[in-house]
Amino acid sequence: MKAFKNPLLIFILPALVILIFIITFPLAFNVYISFTIWDLRFRGATPQFIGVENYIKAIQDSRLINSLSKTFYLLCVAVPAEFLFGLLLAWFFYEPFKGRRILSAIILFPLALSEAVVGLIWGLFLVPTYGPVDYFMRVLGLWKMLGYEKPISLTMTYPMEMIILADIWQWTPFFFLVLLAGLASVPSELLEAAEIDGATKAKILRYVMLPAIKPVIGVICAIRIMDVFKTFGIPYVMTKGGPGFASEVVSLYIFNQALQFLNIAYAATLTMIVIILISIILTLFIRLFGIRF
Amino acid sequence: MSSKFSIIEEKGRKKLSRRTALSTGVKVAIGAVVAGVVAGIGGYYAGSVTAPVREVTRTVTSTVERPAAATTITQTVTRTVTVGAPPVGVEITLACDAGHNYLPWFDPDEAPEGGHYGQNQAPKIEEALGIKITGEEVDPGTEFAIYMADLTGPGRYNIIVYFPTYNGDILGGGWAIPLDPFIEKYKVNVDDLPPVYRYLYCSWGGKMYALPYDGDFHALYYRKDVFADPEIRSKFKDKYGRDLEPPKTYDEYLQVAEFFTGWDWDKDGEDEYGTIEDFKDLTWGIFFDRFASLGGLWFDEEMNPLVPNNAAIKALEDLVKITDYMPPGYLEFGALEVFDCMTKGITALTLTWPDVGPRAGSGEFPVKGDQVGTALVPGYIVNGQLLRYSWTGVGRVMIITVNTPEEKREAAFRVIKWMYDTSAFWVPSGLNGEDPFAYSHTGRGALPHWRRANPAWSEEGILDYMKAAEENFAHGYPDLYLPGAAQYTDVLSRYIMMAARKEISSKEAIERTVEEWRRITKDLGEERQKKLWKEQIVEYKRAGIWPK
């Protein structure tokens, strides 16, 4: 009641209304068409209500199950790796040294690139016959050393692994940046007290610094978990989800359904399923790690 | 002495002043924007009304050459053009895929010779016909989505240049206007088109809806200079007991590819490979060359997929076998990498798009025009007869969208007719991605244009290419033109890749594809798909390629 008497609310009301409209209208529309069938190929076609048929189809869709498994693989390998490398880098950069700022800027460079550009760089990097990786592998005799009679295409042989590498390259700087800021914000009294008590640097990191920045870690991991479900540019440019279905992550599958196959309503259904999954995973993550915001 | 009341009063005055200032500022800003808009609109109309309309009759002479087999027909076209006033003529909005495929319309580097010869037709159309073209480049990877979004939505595009792969959705869906009345009125020579382009690219259910823009087909390319080397010929004969020739069957193709794999036949210090095909971009096409040559069909009349299935399995098995003679990374190679394999001396053969010949002919690559020979694609002996079919997938056609207002349709047709009429100028370039689609492109009358566009190519080399091009599109077999084609071919391509990686057998790949295709047909509506497929069969029969 007190809040409604606050005249300032009147001033932010227009912006609030627009924000709510921008967020909720697309979501509401998406929910609506997920219960329809809508063939955009034909002139005059309108959505036809079909109840939960799309959801039943999705549950039985082996290609959806496959795409979710690829996405979970990416999530379970890439995010922990990005956290680990980001933390190591942050810890290394925690103490000042000469050239720290320039080196930091260089490390942050991949974060400035779009996913499509990252996919292109790594695709060209790894392509046999033309790419530098293959060149050095051949010149140094590494293919034979690894047991391959002739050079292989790493992207086509290990597509998810190469996508994960590209993803780690792009997003480790994000963890580095945020964790470095987090470590820098730990009160110096805590660190001094630990030093006085004889703790080593590693123990200080593990028992003092990391617990102090737990909420920060929780937030960035949560952001990355949501991001992974949106990963599209890297797999699209590098492999288009192939060979076969080997790297078709869920966002790529939804893209194919919506924009290549024009199954807009079914794509909306898949989107809803992914939203529900992300919500469940985030809730479990927050509870498991006892993160409080 | 100031009291607290006077301070409050003073502060109140300041508050009032700030509020007033802000309020006044906002009013002034809004007033300025409104005034600007009004002035702008007024100025536009004032300019158009007050500027003297000078109607000047100007003779615009355009030489339109329609090369025929023996003669070149030159027409002088006289038109009345109104100058001085803003264009009251028609403005047409065009959408075409981005990059090199846009050059025939707009090319800032147009030149009298070389790869940019004959491009940049849009300004010429404006000058000659008074029709202004506003062009929009579209990403080819997502053009289907972009076009369908426009067709079902704002309807901005009057002319669309797209892959006939989408004919089932675009023509079958009723998004293009039939062109037959205009073709009749303007006496467009459609007999110049080989049946596969006239009936399968450009027509649907007995009506013509498009004119071609790019005539894709597959051709066999081989290193002519290497094939002529006496030492290499002798080596081949010793090994296989026959002369080294461009292969006519897929078994011969396998042999020749095997022969050229793993040694340095061009003495450049690196081992080379036998052949390369485009696995990455259009995987189903390289399968279909083989399948069609085994008498295969996308669907039979009852919508049974990939019949006969055993021919599909054999086609895929042969495709998988040939990968042993391809360079590493072949699964990642799209069209451009495949072209490069020929023009950079990595493979001795390739089975791919028509672009290789003109690219070599442009002189911009290590392997030059006359080093590359062109031939008809190989085939299979079926019932005692050598059956050779060249997949004519991709390609491009120009349509007038159904959203185009009535009063603009004729102007839009004149634009696409202009492009059709002048195609002998711009098709020969190896830089623009457009390939021959008419008999007049491969007749002697077109030779001067080919020479000017490809200065590094001898007349003999060009004639050899033109002859092979004509043979290949005369043996052309269409892509799948049905609603949902993208879904069908996506599934087929993925299973082909899995078979190529030896994850599954060719038999399993085809069985899974057939199962998925039946499911897709059911999802899209079996009766409707059958009806539309039967409309397609009409065109297959008109083209003479439906089995009797």
Side-chain angles (χ1 to χ4, degrees):
Chain A
M1 284 308 290
K2 208 173 174 180
F4 284 112
K5 286 185 183 169
N6 189 343
L8 288 175
L9 266 181
I10 297 167
F11 291 102
I12 63 168
L13 203 58
L16 210 60
V17 165
I18 290 170
L19 205 63
I20 289 168
F21 183 74
I22 288 169
I23 293 169
T24 57
F25 177 73
L27 189 60
F29 186 71
N30 199 70
V31 170
Y32 161 62
I33 62 167
S34 71
F35 292 101
T36 69
I37 187 164
W38 193 7
D39 195 340
L40 287 173
R41 289 177 189 87
F42 295 93
R43 293 177 65 202
T46 52
Q48 307 295 321
F49 184 75
I50 55 166
V52 295
E53 261 183 59
N54 283 334
Y55 287 90
I56 294 169
K57 183 178 163 188
I59 290 165
Q60 297 165 343
D61 185 351
S62 58
R63 199 163 162 180
L64 172 66
I65 310 292
N66 173 71
S67 68
L68 285 171
S69 73
K70 302 301 172 203
T71 310
F72 278 114
Y73 181 34
L74 179 65
L75 176 67
C76 296
V77 176
V79 176
E82 286 157 16
F83 170 72
L84 197 63
F85 293 134
L87 182 65
L88 286 171
L89 279 170
W91 195 32
F92 179 73
F93 277 72
Y94 180 70
E95 301 286 345
F97 59 86
K98 198 172 177 186
R100 185 172 83 147
R101 282 193 184 168
I102 294 169
L103 211 50
S104 301
I106 292 169
I107 288 172
L108 290 174
F109 165 72
L111 202 53
L113 301 173
S114 69
E115 271 197 45
V117 170
V118 171
L120 194 62
I121 289 171
W122 276 83
L124 290 170
F125 204 54
L126 293 167
V127 73
T129 308
Y130 297 106
V133 168
D134 176 62
Y135 175 76
F136 285 112
M137 299 273 289
R138 277 188 286 122
V139 158
L140 297 171
L142 292 176
W143 288 120
K144 287 203 164 40
M145 216 183 283
L146 291 169
Y148 295 106
E149 270 300 311
K150 57 180 187 178
I152 61 160
S153 163
L154 288 166
T155 310
M156 289 291 127
T157 312
Y158 307 106
M160 277 308 299
E161 288 74 21
M162 295 302 113
I163 287 167
I164 287 168
L165 269 179
D167 194 78
I168 290 171
W169 183 76
Q170 184 176 26
W171 288 102
T172 298
F174 171 68
F175 280 86
F176 157 65
L177 189 67
V178 179
L179 288 171
L180 183 60
L183 292 179
S185 71
V186 175
S188 55
E189 302 83 43
L190 291 178
L191 304 175
E192 282 164 13
E195 267 183 45
I196 289 166
D197 286 344
T200 61
K201 282 204 161 105
K203 285 198 170 153
I204 290 173
L205 175 70
R206 191 178 160 190
Y207 294 110
V208 178
M209 291 173 120
L210 286 181
I213 63 168
K214 200 173 168 188
V216 171
I217 295 172
V219 167
I220 52 173
C221 286
I223 289 170
R224 277 301 293 146
I225 287 171
M226 287 187 285
D227 267 348
V228 163
F229 279 87
K230 294 187 298 179
T231 299
F232 172 81
I234 293 173
Y236 181 77
V237 171
M238 281 180 82
T239 63
K240 288 217 167 45
F245 306 93
S247 59
E248 190 180 47
V249 295
V250 73
S251 58
L252 198 45
Y253 180 46
I254 294 174
F255 165 82
N256 282 332
Q257 282 291 347
L259 299 180
Q260 302 286 56
F261 309 156
L262 282 190
N263 294 334
I264 297 283
Y266 187 58
T269 310
L270 298 178
T271 308
M272 293 313 304
I273 290 172
V274 169
I275 289 173
I276 292 165
L277 268 172
I278 293 173
S279 308
I280 293 169
I281 291 167
L282 277 179
T283 308
L284 285 173
F285 176 78
I286 289 165
R287 286 213 176 150
L288 199 67
F289 287 94
I291 294 160
R292 292 179 199 286
F293 296 104
Chain B
M1 176 176 105
S2 60
S3 72
K4 67 174 179 187
F5 296 105
S6 62
I7 291 168
I8 289 167
E9 206 179 359
E10 207 182 339
K11 280 189 179 169
R13 259 189 246 126
K14 275 185 186 167
K15 272 190 185 168
L16 278 167
S17 296
R18 262 205 300 274
R19 199 176 293 145
T20 308
L22 197 62
S23 164
T24 308
V26 166
K27 284 173 192 168
V28 166
I30 291 170
V33 166
V34 169
V37 168
V38 167
I41 293 170
Y44 173 79
Y45 281 110
S48 63
V49 166
T50 58
V53 175
R54 295 187 289 124
E55 191 160 303
V56 173
T57 303
R58 195 167 90 190
T59 302
V60 176
T61 304
S62 308
T63 303
V64 176
E65 291 189 8
R66 291 282 300 151
T71 59
T72 300
I73 303 157
T74 305
Q75 291 173 301
T76 302
V77 178
T78 304
R79 289 183 176 87
T80 302
V81 177
T82 303
V83 300
V88 184
V90 179
E91 186 167 326
I92 296 293
T93 306
L94 153 81
C96 178
D97 38 305
H100 58 292
N101 292 299
Y102 201 57
L103 294 176
W105 296 99
F106 295 96
D107 181 4
D109 299 319
E110 186 193 354
E113 204 177 75
H116 294 278
Y117 164 77
Q119 313 306 307
N120 202 38
Q121 293 294 324
K124 298 181 180 76
I125 292 172
E126 187 173 356
E127 194 188 331
L129 304 181
I131 301 170
K132 182 171 163 50
I133 296 169
T134 303
E136 212 169 286
E137 289 183 77
V138 163
D139 165 40
T142 50
E143 71 170 43
F144 180 55
I146 293 168
Y147 289 156
M148 290 309 295
D150 182 76
L151 287 167
T152 57
R156 289 183 305 119
Y157 301 138
N158 305 128
I159 294 172
I160 279 175
V161 180
Y162 71 95
F163 305 131
T165 308
Y166 310 133
N167 273 356
D169 301 283
I170 293 179
L171 302 187
W175 296 106
I177 66 163
L179 300 180
D180 296 299
F182 293 124
I183 288 171
E184 176 63 36
K185 180 177 175 182
Y186 287 91
K187 306 276 182 278
V188 178
N189 180 18
V190 292
D191 289 335
D192 193 24
L193 297 174
V196 71
Y197 297 139
R198 180 174 177 177
Y199 299 117
L200 280 311
Y201 267 30
C202 299
S203 305
W204 189 274
K207 291 184 187 170
M208 201 157 175
Y209 287 91
L211 289 178
Y213 182 77
D214 169 25
D216 273 323
F217 53 87
H218 274 175
L220 177 75
Y221 298 93
Y222 62 100
R223 282 290 298 274
K224 216 168 167 182
D225 55 332
V226 171
F227 272 50
D229 185 314
E231 203 182 309
I232 291 174
R233 291 182 71 78
S234 166
K235 230 172 150 175
F236 183 87
K237 186 141 189 184
D238 289 343
K239 189 168 180 185
Y240 297 102
R242 61 180 183 86
D243 288 330
L244 175 59
E245 302 284 352
K248 293 186 180 60
T249 67
Y250 280 102
D251 288 336
E252 287 176 10
Y253 178 55
L254 195 74
Q255 256 183 9
V256 175
E258 181 194 39
F259 175 73
F260 281 108
T261 298
W263 59 288
D264 184 13
W265 38 260
D266 63 357
K267 300 178 180 64
D268 65 351
E270 301 239 350
D271 286 350
E272 275 82 38
Y273 298 87
T275 188
I276 183 67
E277 297 183 37
D278 180 357
F279 265 91
K280 185 182 175 190
D281 294 332
L282 297 147
T283 323
W284 73 96
I286 55 177
F287 160 79
F288 210 79
D289 284 319
R290 291 159 170 86
F291 181 45
S293 300
L294 282 163
L297 298 172
W298 293 112
F299 293 96
D300 66 11
E301 288 184 14
E302 297 308 312
M303 289 298 290
N304 292 307
L306 297 176
V307 292
N309 286 169
N310 57 347
I313 294 167
K314 162 108 179 109
L316 186 51
E317 280 171 349
D318 284 356
L319 180 57
V320 171
K321 274 188 214 162
I322 200 80
T323 62
D324 289 343
Y325 310 117
M326 293 187 178
Y330 63 89
L331 284 178
E332 289 183 68
F333 287 6
L336 290 176
E337 288 84 12
V338 166
F339 302 158
D340 273 354
C341 281
M342 265 316 272
T343 55
K344 290 181 181 170
I346 298 170
T347 60
L349 297 163
T350 181
L351 213 165
T352 190
W353 306 113
D355 306 64
V356 172
R359 278 172 84 89
S362 70
E364 296 190 18
F365 300 91
V367 175
K368 310 268 184 260
D370 290 350
Q371 290 176 273
V372 175
T374 316
L376 179 58
V377 292
Y380 290 99
I381 295 174
V382 176
N383 299 327
Q385 204 185 354
L386 179 57
L387 202 58
R388 296 160 91 163
Y389 273 122
S390 164
W391 183 62
T392 59
V394 193
R396 283 165 187 83
V397 294
M398 303 177 282
I399 58 157
I400 300 168
T401 68
V402 75
N403 298 319
T404 302
E406 284 282 346
E407 61 274 14
K408 279 196 181 185
R409 288 180 180 185
E410 189 158 348
F413 180 77
R414 292 175 74 196
V415 168
I416 64 175
K417 180 181 175 299
W418 176 284
M419 294 303 284
Y420 179 68
D421 287 343
T422 58
S423 52
F425 284 80
W426 44 266
V427 158
S429 163
L431 293 185
N432 66 12
E434 271 51 68
D435 302 301
F437 55 76
Y439 293 119
S440 56
H441 295 163
T442 53
R444 277 205 83 96
L447 190 57
H449 303 295
W450 285 96
R451 296 296 310 271
R452 287 176 78 169
N454 302 281
W457 217 351
S458 70
E459 184 170 312
E460 192 197 325
I462 292 172
L463 287 170
D464 172 55
Y465 174 80
M466 284 159 65
K467 178 171 170 282
E470 193 169 313
E471 270 188 311
N472 277 295
F473 59 59
H475 284 83
Y477 201 94
D479 199 1
L480 176 60
Y481 302 144
L482 205 60
Q487 248 177 293
Y488 290 113
T489 54
D490 174 76
V491 161
L492 175 59
S493 296
R494 290 184 191 274
Y495 284 120
I496 289 171
M497 287 286 233
M498 288 169 80
R501 286 180 70 205
K502 301 180 174 73
E503 270 178 61
I504 56 176
S505 68
S506 299
K507 184 169 185 284
E508 198 180 339
I510 297 298
E511 281 170 358
R512 286 203 207 175
T513 305
V514 166
E515 195 187 316
E516 284 280 331
W517 279 29
R518 288 191 198 283
R519 188 192 54 74
I520 292 168
T521 302
K522 198 168 156 224
D523 282 348
L524 293 171
E526 203 158 342
E527 286 316 306
R528 191 184 69 188
Q529 291 294 86
K530 222 184 239 183
K531 174 182 168 291
L532 289 167
W533 182 239
K534 284 195 160 113
E535 287 174 11
Q536 262 289 278
I537 293 174
V538 166
E539 304 305 339
Y540 274 72
K541 286 179 177 169
R542 290 212 289 171
I545 52 177
W546 188 259
K548 291 188 174 55

